[in-house]
Amino acid sequence: MELVIDRLTKQYKNKIAVDRISLTLKEGVYGLLGANGSGKTSLMRMICGVLKPTSGEVKFNGIDVSEEEYRDSLGYLPQNFGYYPEFSAYDFLLYLASLKGLTKHQAKLKATELLELVGLSESAKKKIKTFSGGMKQRLGIAQAMLNDPKILVLDEPTAGLDPNERIRFRNLISRLGKDKIVLLSTHIVSDVEYIASTILMMKDGQIIHKGRLDEIIGVIEGKVFECSVDSKRVNYLIDNYPIINIREESDKTFLRLVAEKPPCETAVTVPAVLEDLYLYYFNEGGKKS
Amino acid sequence: MSSYWELVKFEYRKVLCKRSTIITLLLGILLTALSCVGPLMGNDYINGEVFESNYEAMKKDREYNRRLSGRELNSELLSETIKAYRHIPLTEGQYSDTNEYQKYARPYSEIFYHIRKAYNINSLKEISSITKENLDDFYTIRQSRVENNIDDTTMSFKEKANSIKLSRAVKTPFIYSYMGGYWRFFSQMQVTAFLICFICSICISPLFAGEYIDGMDSLIFSSKYGKNKIIRAKLFTGITFTVLLSILLTIISYVTVMMFYGWDGSNAPIQLYIPLSIIPLTLGQVAMLYFIIVLCGNILSSALTMLLSAKLKSPFIVLVIMTVITILPVFVRVSEDVLWIYHLINLIPVKMFDFSNIISIFSIDLLGIIMQPYELFISFSIVVSIILLPLAYKSFKNHN
């Protein structure tokens, strides 16, 4: 099972959203991290055949993205997915099941099973317009899995979910990654940290890092510092270093930041986490030391 | 194939579960039924006083005309009519306000209409100029009037020859029949056709554009049948919805009108309704033809709506454009002097719905093929719809 993305490019009038990305994805969970406008959604939409690339190609086991057979292997949860307000959750799934080529019998079984899985069994017959944001998101996740896809593309799947739902959903995705290619994008770094076997970092339309969590964090290992400084020093550090965390303490200010060498006498190096790397790259203004 | 019908079922559900669709359909049915009986409401006034209600007038005229039904339109009936009309005093004002008209002439008013048309009578005074010989030659004089009318047009020689040939195929003598139901049905169908066109625009405009607005396009395009079967299902839904609505509102119009006015006249020639018509068809056949043209025109309008719906991002913009296309041509009047422009304008669906454009004296030479306007309307609607539907398919499929 192999999803090959070859020199994939999307150019809008004077902006390159995705810039010659080449990737080969196999079974596993891939976490796509990037700031707003980095090209994540454009990349995902092209992988799903929703957006036509300017150049390049996407193939799954040799089948082109434009073919029906490719879409038969695909499950997609868009960032702001739509729904029919007058449809019940159950009918919505039945409709998408027929769009995905399931027979009526299969559709009924699968819809019931997935509603149970995402905890919407009791609301199955309720109109979607009465659903909360989290319930709609869970329904979106259910529809993406209707055809038991080999490629599962999830754009911000945990947005709108409460902490319990998020954890439940993270576990579900982790399990799916065993025999599927799961590509998910999120702003919630900890989600990626917990479930992604491979992390893809995207910036300005390009993949700037790809690897396991420990590999990717290696870039800033030994460069993450914590210190408590007085108010005079705080402004200097904020202006000159990518700040990961600021906390006001009784008479001082606690800072967590990224720097090539200790930024002040009291600074101590601490183990880096993915969020440090994320903020290091996507900090406002991109202030890398 | 079963998944295709399942998708069609869901498309219908999407259309029909919208509140706007339900309200539009109910209003459409109500307006159709009301407009059928609208002319029966109110009164007829003579000298500012109520003479009779419109409903009573219809019943009275129906009774008079039914008495004449089955009689041949010949010199005997024409003489009787002229004799009855001679009772009317030649005074100022409307002759229909006189007692003599009500007493003697009104029962023959339908026959008098034929006399006026055939002998080119513009005022009551002129009836004295009609001789016994003229009455005996009614069908010859009528035919000569028809051919003069054809000759006065700017049609080509070939077109005129075809219209004349067609007019000579009209079977004479005419057997008179009461046809109030058909008379009303032909007037009503233009309103009904307009309503069908408008309702279809409202209900079909979200078929594709609604998916963009609902944010469902991504889910559809990434699904197995999202770029083929579902588009075919949508197009099928749009067309069948139009067909079913056309049938429904036509039946409502036909049944409502006939229930009030009477079912008589389906086998009578169209010439009883339009005396100088060149079309050799019965009223029943023309009613069917009218329905087919309304159906084809509405299919064309729906095909255009679906193309716009697939191309544009909002059903509202589609609706605005379709409303302009539906309403604006009603106010456009084109001279018959430049026939190609006249025929071209008449190909706009709402223009096709005008009964006078369907049953006209024109023949059309289209690249060597001579046809009647109604044949052109039907062929044009079918051909253009066949062109528009794949374009709508392609537009939705390639939507980014």
Side-chain angles (χ1 to χ4, degrees):
Chain A
M1 203 192 298
E2 196 176 61
L3 179 70
V4 179
I5 297 162
D6 185 22
R7 287 164 293 173
L8 199 63
T9 303
K10 183 67 194 179
Q11 182 167 9
Y12 298 105
K13 278 174 191 169
N14 48 10
K15 187 184 187 277
I16 297 175
V18 174
D19 192 5
R20 284 165 298 163
I21 287 182
S22 292
L23 285 170
T24 300
L25 309 182
K26 293 177 186 290
E27 289 96 326
V29 180
Y30 294 82
L32 187 59
L33 276 176
N36 286 335
S38 61
K40 300 190 299 294
T41 296
S42 293
L43 174 65
M44 289 182 138
R45 285 168 70 85
M46 284 191 284
I47 289 172
C48 294
V50 173
L51 186 66
K52 206 175 168 187
T54 308
S55 63
E57 55 183 25
V58 179
K59 284 186 175 177
F60 175 64
N61 291 345
I63 306 159
D64 191 76
V65 67
S66 61
E67 290 178 40
E68 185 182 299
E69 207 182 334
Y70 178 99
R71 294 195 299 275
D72 195 21
S73 309
L74 181 71
Y76 177 40
L77 172 66
Q79 194 171 9
N80 298 307
F81 93 99
Y83 57 91
Y84 304 117
E86 300 297 330
F87 273 40
S88 70
Y90 183 67
D91 288 338
F92 182 72
L93 290 186
L94 289 187
Y95 171 62
L96 280 154
S98 47
L99 263 174
K100 287 168 188 255
L102 272 72
T103 63
K104 209 172 174 178
H105 179 68
Q106 287 172 327
K108 283 180 178 174
L109 286 178
K110 202 72 189 169
T112 310
E113 178 196 321
L114 286 169
L115 285 169
E116 176 74 39
L117 187 74
V118 298
L120 287 174
S121 288
E122 286 180 10
S123 310
K125 297 286 176 189
K126 285 184 184 163
K127 285 186 178 177
I128 307 174
K129 66 179 177 187
T130 64
F131 280 19
S132 67
M135 286 165 88
K136 282 178 197 161
Q137 196 67 6
R138 281 187 274 156
L139 183 63
I141 292 157
Q143 68 75 29
M145 295 192 292
L146 271 169
N147 55 334
D148 196 15
K150 294 186 176 69
I151 313 163
L152 188 58
V153 179
L154 308 166
D155 198 355
E156 304 280 354
T158 51
L161 299 183
D162 65 34
N164 282 336
E165 285 171 331
R166 258 180 59 214
I167 289 163
R168 198 171 146 199
F169 181 61
R170 270 186 345 207
N171 295 337
L172 175 70
I173 295 175
S174 290
R175 291 205 304 274
L176 290 172
K178 282 178 191 165
D179 58 351
K180 294 183 201 304
I181 297 167
V182 181
L183 177 64
L184 71 103
S185 80
T186 178
H187 282 108
I188 303 164
V189 181
S190 61
D191 284 350
V192 174
E193 206 163 20
Y194 278 107
I195 56 175
S197 50
T198 307
I199 293 162
L200 306 167
M201 279 203 131
M202 208 171 165
K203 190 175 183 184
D204 299 330
Q206 291 181 320
I207 302 289
I208 53 169
H209 282 295
K210 181 194 169 204
R212 293 194 318 271
L213 180 63
D214 54 341
E215 287 172 350
I216 212 160
I217 287 176
V219 176
I220 54 164
E221 202 59 79
K223 295 177 184 172
V224 181
F225 294 91
E226 284 182 355
C227 56
S228 291
V229 291
D230 57 34
S231 55
K232 285 180 192 167
R233 189 82 179 143
V234 168
N235 289 340
Y236 169 78
L237 292 175
I238 288 173
D239 290 342
N240 292 284
Y241 295 94
I243 304 296
I244 289 155
N245 191 16
I246 301 177
R247 189 175 66 239
E248 289 299 331
E249 291 177 338
S250 55
D251 57 342
K252 289 195 171 179
T253 304
F254 169 83
L255 292 172
R256 184 182 173 99
L257 49 80
V258 181
E260 290 293 327
K261 51 187 182 180
C264 58
E265 288 166 9
T266 56
V268 289
T269 180
V270 290
V273 292
L274 187 59
E275 197 164 13
D276 298 326
L277 184 73
Y278 182 88
L279 291 168
Y280 176 62
Y281 277 111
F282 304 116
N283 209 334
E284 197 185 343
K287 288 180 294 191
K288 283 187 279 182
S289 59
Chain B
M1 204 56 191
S2 65
S3 60
Y4 175 75
W5 294 115
E6 198 62 20
L7 289 172
V8 170
K9 196 181 91 183
F10 275 111
E11 286 308 318
Y12 261 102
R13 222 175 129 182
K14 278 193 262 174
V15 172
L16 296 174
C17 74
K18 283 195 176 84
R19 194 176 292 171
S20 61
T21 304
I22 297 164
I23 293 170
T24 309
L25 282 176
L26 289 176
L27 272 177
I29 291 169
L30 194 71
L31 276 175
T32 305
L34 279 177
S35 58
C36 285
V37 294
L40 296 179
M41 293 166 190
N43 299 309
D44 189 17
Y45 293 84
I46 292 180
N47 300 327
E49 284 181 21
V50 175
F51 175 67
E52 62 191 354
S53 73
N54 288 343
Y55 181 65
E56 283 165 354
M58 182 276 290
K59 282 209 304 188
K60 194 182 277 179
D61 286 331
R62 184 171 64 189
E63 197 191 320
Y64 289 149
N65 292 330
R66 275 181 176 159
R67 275 189 217 157
L68 297 173
S69 289
R71 286 187 66 180
E72 191 181 306
L73 201 62
N74 55 16
S75 58
E76 189 192 337
L77 183 55
L78 297 173
S79 298
E80 257 179 67
T81 304
I82 289 174
K83 201 176 153 193
Y85 269 75
R86 278 192 178 136
H87 284 100
I88 302 170
L90 298 173
T91 52
E92 292 293 311
Q94 277 195 320
Y95 67 74
S96 56
D97 290 351
T98 61
N99 289 333
E100 289 80 2
Y101 169 78
Q102 296 297 338
K103 191 175 176 186
Y104 302 106
R106 187 169 167 179
Y108 294 95
S109 59
E110 288 283 310
I111 309 298
F112 188 65
Y113 182 56
H114 285 268
I115 292 173
R116 274 176 52 210
K117 289 289 171 185
Y119 299 103
N120 199 19
I121 300 290
N122 294 314
S123 75
L124 212 51
K125 288 176 193 166
E126 293 175 40
I127 55 167
S128 55
S129 64
I130 303 169
T131 63
K132 173 77 173 65
E133 288 72 32
N134 290 154
L135 294 180
D136 290 340
D137 286 342
F138 173 73
Y139 289 101
T140 316
I141 291 167
R142 180 199 158 275
Q143 183 59 26
S144 132
R145 279 273 292 153
V146 169
E147 293 184 16
N148 275 344
N149 283 353
I150 293 169
D151 206 40
D152 285 346
T153 65
T154 54
M155 279 192 285
S156 70
F157 177 75
K158 230 170 133 183
E159 290 168 332
K160 283 179 183 175
N162 185 71
S163 287
I164 290 170
K165 189 180 156 197
L166 202 63
S167 71
R168 287 178 183 170
V170 172
K171 280 182 193 163
T172 55
F174 304 139
I175 305 297
Y176 183 75
S177 168
Y178 167 67
M179 39 115 205
Y182 281 92
W183 166 82
R184 180 72 202 110
F185 178 69
F186 293 143
S187 315
Q188 172 58 35
M189 266 310 271
Q190 192 171 0
V191 177
T192 304
F194 191 80
L195 280 170
I196 296 167
C197 193
F198 205 63
I199 295 170
C200 285
S201 297
I202 293 171
C203 298
I204 291 174
S205 57
L207 210 57
F208 292 103
E211 306 291 6
Y212 310 143
I213 292 286
D214 286 336
M216 277 297 293
D217 49 340
S218 298
L219 290 184
I220 290 173
F221 290 136
S222 61
S223 65
K224 185 182 179 183
Y225 297 141
K227 290 190 176 180
N228 40 45
K229 269 190 187 177
I230 184 69
I231 311 178
R232 289 201 294 273
K234 280 178 181 291
L235 295 175
F236 179 83
T237 305
I239 296 299
T240 50
F241 180 84
T242 307
V243 172
L244 292 173
L245 186 71
S246 301
I247 292 172
L248 175 72
L249 292 194
T250 303
I251 288 175
I252 290 173
S253 303
Y254 186 80
V255 172
T256 312
V257 161
M258 296 300 170
M259 267 169 41
F260 281 91
Y261 287 83
W263 302 79
D264 330 33
S266 75
N267 291 322
I270 184 66
Q271 284 69 25
L272 291 186
Y273 179 57
I274 301 174
L276 302 182
S277 169
I278 62 167
I279 313 293
L281 294 173
T282 64
L283 290 167
Q285 287 167 331
V286 171
M288 183 52 81
L289 180 67
Y290 200 176
F291 164 69
I292 292 168
I293 288 166
V294 166
L295 180 66
C296 290
N298 277 311
I299 287 175
L300 171 60
S301 172
S302 293
L304 184 62
T305 307
M306 285 192 278
L307 173 63
L308 291 172
S309 177
K311 275 225 173 278
L312 303 173
K313 284 178 182 166
S314 153
F316 180 70
I317 298 171
V318 178
L319 190 57
V320 169
I321 295 173
M322 285 312 296
T323 305
V324 171
I325 292 173
T326 308
I327 292 173
L328 208 62
V330 174
F331 303 104
V332 176
R333 293 268 173 258
V334 177
S335 160
E336 293 172 6
D337 292 341
V338 189
L339 271 177
W340 71 270
I341 299 179
Y342 176 75
H343 292 317
L344 200 67
I345 293 288
N346 287 343
L347 292 175
I348 299 169
V350 283
K351 284 287 193 185
M352 286 184 199
F353 303 153
D354 188 336
F355 189 72
S356 62
N357 290 335
I358 299 168
I359 305 298
S360 71
I361 57 169
F362 294 110
S363 292
I364 300 160
D365 183 355
L366 190 73
L367 306 169
I369 302 165
I370 303 281
M371 54 174 76
Q372 292 314 112
Y374 57 80
E375 290 169 323
L376 179 66
F377 294 165
I378 295 170
S379 329
F380 176 80
S381 301
I382 293 170
V383 170
V384 176
S385 299
I386 287 171
I387 294 169
L388 291 178
L389 293 177
L391 290 177
Y393 183 99
K394 216 173 152 189
S395 288
F396 189 66
K397 189 179 176 179
N398 294 335
H399 179 81
N400 259 317

